[in-house]
Amino acid sequence: MRANFRMQRLFVVSDIKANTGIDADQEQFNYLANVLRMEDGAELLIFNGRDGEWKARISFPSRKRILMTPVEETRPQPAPSDLHYLFAPLKVGRLDYLVQKAVEMGAGLLQPVMTQHVQGKITNLDKVRANVIEAAEQCGILGIPDVAEPVKLADLLERWPRDRRIIYCDEGDAGQNPLPLLADIKEKRLALLVGPEGGFSEEERALLRSLDFVTAIPLGPRILRADTAAVAAMAVIQAAIGDWD
């Protein structure tokens, strides 16, 4: 069932049950009452990443309280995405874009990875998680990807489960077409690894290429920025061997 973009959507933390009211938090109250100027009886869509999407009706039990009461399920909760997105943090503005696009493209887990040439850093995971929720609200997505603590690339690879294949973008890889390489992948559990603005170091490339659970792919004849490469790689993986088929 397609998303309804004509109605306002809000993420809620609480469990969603029919006819069981949910209190809007302070930020949601201000948005609904003062920004959107919604009145008693107005309707919106709510979701929590677990219980599907519901049409809810708002009421004002008091001047400083809004209650959102679920009245009808509009979309059931889909199965969670199993695609892991491993990325070297970018600088702040581009990092926000990277996170938003990963959510839109169906990532099930966001894993920051610290590489030798990384230029960005993540100091506040709660901000990243808030960015994830905002992207889900705006794009009609019901699943909320987890956000993991940053980890060094070498440490990540050392404890990596061998039944999940890592696909990483390597601009130095011979050839231009990633599709033949993706067609050879048989594993269903996948992860995409995208490096920093400066690319992977030669030591990192050698390490990645030495591992039998890693596949390097090119992304065509042009050199792409890290955030652009991330979107391009997610799209080609989802189309070729992901959940778009």
Side-chain angles (χ1 to χ4, degrees):
M1 186 178 296
R2 300 184 68 85
N4 180 353
F5 292 104
R6 295 187 297 273
M7 295 184 69
Q8 181 64 44
R9 298 180 78 244
L10 280 186
F11 174 83
V12 298
V13 176
S14 303
D15 293 338
I16 302 176
K17 299 178 181 178
N19 303 314
T20 301
I22 299 171
D23 276 291
D25 62 29
Q26 184 174 359
E27 183 177 345
Q28 291 170 339
F29 178 92
N30 180 65
Y31 183 63
L32 296 174
N34 301 324
V35 177
L36 297 182
R37 298 187 179 278
M38 284 189 166
E39 299 179 350
D40 193 271
E43 294 181 335
L44 72 160
L45 300 173
I46 60 174
F47 69 106
N48 61 8
R50 306 182 303 276
D51 299 320
E53 179 185 73
W54 288 71
K55 182 186 294 183
R57 188 169 294 122
I58 71 170
S59 57
F60 290 77
S62 69
R63 292 180 58 188
K64 296 185 178 181
R65 184 183 173 204
I66 286 180
L67 204 61
M68 300 177 287
T69 301
V71 295
E72 177 189 358
E73 186 184 67
T74 54
R75 288 190 291 161
Q77 187 68 32
S81 170
D82 191 46
L83 177 61
H84 291 193
Y85 178 56
L86 321 176
F87 64 98
L90 306 180
K91 296 174 183 177
V92 175
R94 291 170 64 189
L95 175 62
D96 291 346
Y97 173 88
L98 191 100
V99 168
Q100 292 164 6
K101 299 310 170 187
V103 175
E104 292 178 35
M105 298 296 292
L109 171 72
L110 275 61
Q111 173 65 71
V113 179
M114 308 310 292
T115 63
Q116 290 185 27
H117 295 162
V118 66
Q119 297 182 23
K121 59 182 179 179
I122 293 179
T123 58
N124 188 343
L125 281 180
D126 286 339
K127 182 179 178 181
V128 178
R129 294 186 179 108
N131 197 6
V132 166
I133 289 172
E134 182 179 354
E137 287 178 334
Q138 294 177 353
C139 299
I141 291 170
L142 297 183
I144 305 296
D146 292 329
V147 181
E149 293 282 346
V151 62
K152 292 182 178 179
L153 177 61
D155 293 338
L156 177 82
L157 296 174
E158 183 177 0
R159 60 174 184 259
W160 191 258
R162 297 312 195 256
D163 62 342
R164 182 180 296 276
R165 178 156 296 275
I166 295 176
I167 302 167
Y168 91 97
C169 306
D170 188 353
E171 64 187 29
D173 191 57
Q176 298 178 356
N177 186 356
L179 295 180
L181 294 169
L182 293 175
D184 289 338
I185 293 176
K186 305 305 179 186
E187 292 91 343
K188 297 299 183 182
R189 304 179 71 208
L190 303 171
L192 168 65
L193 171 62
V194 178
E197 289 97 330
F200 294 105
S201 69
E202 288 304 316
E203 294 83 359
E204 290 168 338
R205 292 182 68 218
L207 173 60
L208 287 164
R209 287 177 172 274
S210 71
L211 300 172
D212 60 6
F213 56 86
V214 174
T215 296
I217 63 169
L219 285 177
R222 286 162 286 280
I223 302 299
L224 305 178
R225 291 190 348 175
D227 47 352
T228 307
V231 177
M234 288 278 283
V236 73
I237 289 171
Q238 293 287 47
I241 55 176
D243 63 7
W244 289 7
D245 56 6

